């Protein structure tokens, strides 16, 4: 689009918004055009200068419909934004246009035993705060629980604390229904249920704007926290497998760390002897002794404990010297490590059930100087396995690509976190016709352009 045409389109769009809050100052545009893509030394130079032209913050669903209708008429690109906690540019506008900040659409729509419906901008920690009165909680959440929104988790996330019991966000039943707003001059609200929710799952908001989400809930349990230490990663991983397989023990986090990682987690390192591997655990407080029995059976030692009341205050009130223990797991591990050593980066690995411990050992020995594993144990379709977001010693992009190719060849699946494109690999694979749904929900290809791989046949069908 030529500059003059682009400017006219933005002016027409802005003129249709009335009193809906709009920002165009440089600070807001920079802040709201970024996520955590800078974890990647490859993505950082590609995305660092990308900016929206405007940031719009609708306060209600009716205002959102007004914004989307105006963008469709003016053909202004849209990037929908939740908490901005993605790691590979999900919330970065590649072609300018408008960022729609959905964080004000944060209502609890309804709650019943075992199920809740929430607006997409509701932050996960605040959802759990609201659910306290009913004695329920979300089944799982990412380590960015405090900042992440439910819509952002569905559109850009995968798993987190709770996945050791309930699996991943894309598993059958993990999301019951999703309401999606189409991007048309007269937007429509579509309700997706069952397998159809995969049409917008992990699609970076490319396939319609998610407005409300219905998810199953779990009974709220008193989650105690602990650190256990082991002589080496292999032993710690065996504990992680055995503890996650102990179905009689209610658990929310099983996170195993290479001995070289605790020194990078400054708040936790005093509790881990030098050269020892570490397990971060969340367990129902009445069953903490049962967990500690499994630790001891694997030659481990519990070196730090926090009771459920103190853990709850750490999460909801920010009390205590140590953040909630889940904020040292999943991709928060990378964040803490980067603060100590900005030269490192990370990968995303999946291990197949049944062979995961053998493959963990293979990765540890084959790439001992370059990959430092931390393992997030989880259930996948009824079986226990682990994934990893390992710390990687970065030298060059060519070497990083060699490592990824070798891992794939060794049957350790890599989901490349150094691309912003949905390339149908690893966590970026979906079992739904997302490109076909895009022609329904986004017929002008205005949503988050440049992210979703759309076949030429689909583009030609839309043009016709």
């Amino acid at each position: 689009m030529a500059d003059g045409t682009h400017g006219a389109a933005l002016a027409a769009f802005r003129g249709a918004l009335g009193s809906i809050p709009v920002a165009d100052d440089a600070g807001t545009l920079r802040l709201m055009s970024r996520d955590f893509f800078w974890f990647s030394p490859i993505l950082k130079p590609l995305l660092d200068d990308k900016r929206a032209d405007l940031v719009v913050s609708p306060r209600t669903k009716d205002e959102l419909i007004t914004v989307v209708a105006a963008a469709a008429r003016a053909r202004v690109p849209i990037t929908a934004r939740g908490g901005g906690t993605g790691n590979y540019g999900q919330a970065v506008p590649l072609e300018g246009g408008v960022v729609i900040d959905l964080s004000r659409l944060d209502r609890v729509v309804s709650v019943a035993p075992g199920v809740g419906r929430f607006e997409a901008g509701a932050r996960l920690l605040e959802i759990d705060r609201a659910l306290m009165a009913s004695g329920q909680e979300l089944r799982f959440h990412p380590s960015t629980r405090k900042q992440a929104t439910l819509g952002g988790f569905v559109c850009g996330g995968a798993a987190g604390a709770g996945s050791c019991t309930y699996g991943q966000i894309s598993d059958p039943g993990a999301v019951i229904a999703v309401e999606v707003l189409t991007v048309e001059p007269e937007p429509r609200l579509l309700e997706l249920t069952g397998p159809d929710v995969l049409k917008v799952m992990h699609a970076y908001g490319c396939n319609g704007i998610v407005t409300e989400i219905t998810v199953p809930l779990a009974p709220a349990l008193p989650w105690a926290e602990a650190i256990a230490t082991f002589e080496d990663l292999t032993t710690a991983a065996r504990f992680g497998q055995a503890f996650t397989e102990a179905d009689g023990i209610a658990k929310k986090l099983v996170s195993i760390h290479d001995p070289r990682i605790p020194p990078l987690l400054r708040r936790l390192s005093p509790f881990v002897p030098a050269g020892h591997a570490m397990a971060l655990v969340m367990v129902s407080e009445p069953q903490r002794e049962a967990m500690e029995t499994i630790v001891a059976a694997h030659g481990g030692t519990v070196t730090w404990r926090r009771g459920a009341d103190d853990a709850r205050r750490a999460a909801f009130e920010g009390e205590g010297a140590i953040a909630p223990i889940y904020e040292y797991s999943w991709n928060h591990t990378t964040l803490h490590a980067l603060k100590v050593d900005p030269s490192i980066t990370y990968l995303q690995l999946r291990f197949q059930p049944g062979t995961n411990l053998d493959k963990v050992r293979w990765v540890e020995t084959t790439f001992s100087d370059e990959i430092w594993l931390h393992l997030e144990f989880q259930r996948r379709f009824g079986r226990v396995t682990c994934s990893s977001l390992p710390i990687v010693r970065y030298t060059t992009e060519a070497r990083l690509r060699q490592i990824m190719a070798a891992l794939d060849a060794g049957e350790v699946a890599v989901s490349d976190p150094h691309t912003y494109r949905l390339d149908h690999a690893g966590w970026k694979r979906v079992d739904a016709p997302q490109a076909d749904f895009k022609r329904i929900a986004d017929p002008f290809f205005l949503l988050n352009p440049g992210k979703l791989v759309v076949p030429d046949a689909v583009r030609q069908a839309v043009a016709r």
Side-chain angles (χ1 to χ4, degrees), residues 203-244:
Y204 300 0
C206 292
N207 281 2
I209 297 175
V210 173
T211 54
E212 293 184 8
I213 302 162
T214 304
V215 293
L217 304 176
L221 296 180
W223 297 114
E225 300 174 340
I227 296 174
T229 62
F230 301 84
E231 287 190 355
D232 52 52
L233 179 64
T234 297
T235 307
R238 288 173 181 159
F239 158 76
Q241 184 82 16
F243 178 51
T244 308

Side-chain angles (χ1 to χ4, degrees), residues 46 127 145 210 316 322 354 366 376 379 428:
L46 295 176
I127 290 175
R145 182 189 191 191
V210 173
F316 288 95
I322 294 177
T366 304
E376 308 298 341
R379 287 194 173 273
K428 299 179 183 182

Side-chain angles (χ1 to χ4, degrees), residues 422-438:
L422 286 162
D423 58 1
H424 309 298
W427 279 301
K428 299 179 183 182
R429 179 186 299 280
V430 289
D431 297 316
Q434 285 195 344
D436 290 337
F437 183 70
K438 186 173 178 67

